[in-house]
Amino acid sequence: MLPLLRSALAVVLVASALPAAALAPPPVPLVQDTRQMIVVTTDGWDATQGSLQAYTYADAKGWQAEGEPFAVAVGRNGSAWGVGLRPNPTDEGAQQPGDPIKQEGDGRSPAGMFFLGTAFGYAAKADTALPYQPMLASSYCMDVPDSKYYNRIVDAEVVGAEAVEGSTEPMRLDLHNKGDVRYREGFVIEHNPGGKAGKGSCIFAHLWRTPGEATAGCTAMQPEHMRALLKWLDPAQKPIFVLLPRAQYHRLQGPWALPTLPPQSEAAR
């Protein structure tokens, strides 16, 4: 009996030495049935560079890093609170006094938590399970706040040339801007899905032309990373996109049931 008692005592002692977080069950995602998350973190509201880490959720283990973190570029003026799944009126303390708020044309990427929309690109099809929309010479994303198509990708051949007047977002940038590759591959980040006028529009993850080039409010990366994300993303897993400055991320990690950032994310900056 003594060896058995010693073994039992050893188990108790080891368990008591573990931190409470190690004994607690993993946090349940805020969005029901979400099993994939893309997390972008930056050094602060005005930072134009960030680190992207993908995560997969397992019931027994919680959020697990998927691959290694990598560098991305965000808005030329940094980031600002956007309109999405989070923050919302129940998120007490998420938005602090003085925090920037996303507005049309401010050059900031929306911060918060968002669903993903369709994938898009110049090719007729792509290696992704996301719904895919090939872009045409007549495809535009409407960034005109008083347009009834605000924050939507439309085809001028369908809605009429007058309906897209004023848009600064032709989706075939290669045809409209001397071979521009940025929208060759990408996906929609569902910021401001209700199309509230002036709150920001046409927010994507897309390619960068040169490494680290800041955006008008999107998240940009190199082609091999985009291809890997598109191949990995699965709409059946209800993927979500999170972008936050690190200080806000650490403050909201518990309330929003966010993954623990791996040490490698710092190396990707």
Side-chain angles (χ1 to χ4, degrees):
M1 289 295 291
L2 283 177
L4 290 175
L5 286 172
R6 291 193 190 100
S7 297
L9 180 61
V11 169
V12 171
L13 289 173
V14 169
S16 64
L18 290 172
L23 301 174
V28 177
L30 286 186
V31 181
Q32 188 176 11
D33 298 328
T34 284
R35 292 295 182 269
Q36 290 182 329
M37 183 183 290
I38 295 172
V39 171
V40 173
T41 52
T42 67
D43 283 341
W45 289 117
D46 296 332
T48 63
Q49 309 296 305
S51 176
L52 186 151
Q53 176 69 62
Y55 294 90
T56 300
Y57 187 84
D59 290 330
K61 297 181 179 179
W63 290 111
Q64 303 293 300
E66 188 79 24
E68 297 297 321
F70 57 82
V72 294
V74 296
R76 63 179 180 269
N77 292 319
S79 55
W81 286 120
V83 180
L85 295 166
R86 292 288 191 277
N88 62 37
T90 66
D91 289 329
E92 184 177 352
Q95 189 174 308
Q96 300 289 296
D99 286 352
I101 308 299
K102 175 67 184 170
Q103 303 293 331
E104 184 66 47
D106 63 2
R108 291 182 180 268
S109 295
M113 181 184 289
F114 311 92
F115 277 129
L116 303 187
T118 59
F120 60 83
Y122 299 165
K125 58 183 180 179
D127 184 12
T128 183
L130 291 176
Y132 179 75
Q133 186 176 2
M135 295 294 100
L136 309 172
S138 52
S139 297
Y140 289 82
C141 188
M142 291 306 300
D143 55 358
V144 180
D146 61 358
S147 169
K148 68 178 180 179
Y149 299 113
Y150 182 60
N151 201 28
R152 289 171 52 188
I153 296 175
V154 297
D155 185 349
E157 297 286 343
V158 175
V159 301
E162 290 185 1
V164 300
E165 284 184 1
S167 171
T168 65
E169 289 282 357
M171 297 302 295
R172 282 299 301 265
L173 287 175
D174 58 331
L175 302 179
H176 291 270
N177 193 33
K178 301 178 181 179
D180 194 328
V181 301
R182 284 175 292 174
Y183 293 171
R184 187 179 70 200
E185 298 166 290
F187 56 86
V188 174
I189 298 168
E190 290 196 342
H191 164 257
N192 193 17
K196 190 172 181 179
K199 288 299 182 179
S201 62
C202 307
I203 303 299
F204 313 130
H206 61 70
L207 306 184
W208 55 30
R209 287 180 296 190
T210 57
E213 181 185 22
T215 72
C218 297
T219 297
M221 65 196 72
Q222 59 189 37
E224 54 265 42
H225 291 146
M226 175 60 73
R227 286 193 292 269
L229 283 179
L230 287 173
K231 189 171 183 178
W232 170 72
L233 286 166
D234 179 0
Q237 305 304 312
K238 293 189 178 179
I240 54 180
F241 182 94
V242 173
L243 187 151
L244 288 169
R246 286 184 185 85
Q248 282 69 30
Y249 189 95
H250 291 307
R251 180 163 53 81
L252 295 169
Q253 183 178 341
W256 288 13
L258 298 172
T260 299
L261 296 176
Q264 293 91 332
S265 65
E266 299 297 322
R269 290 159 53 183

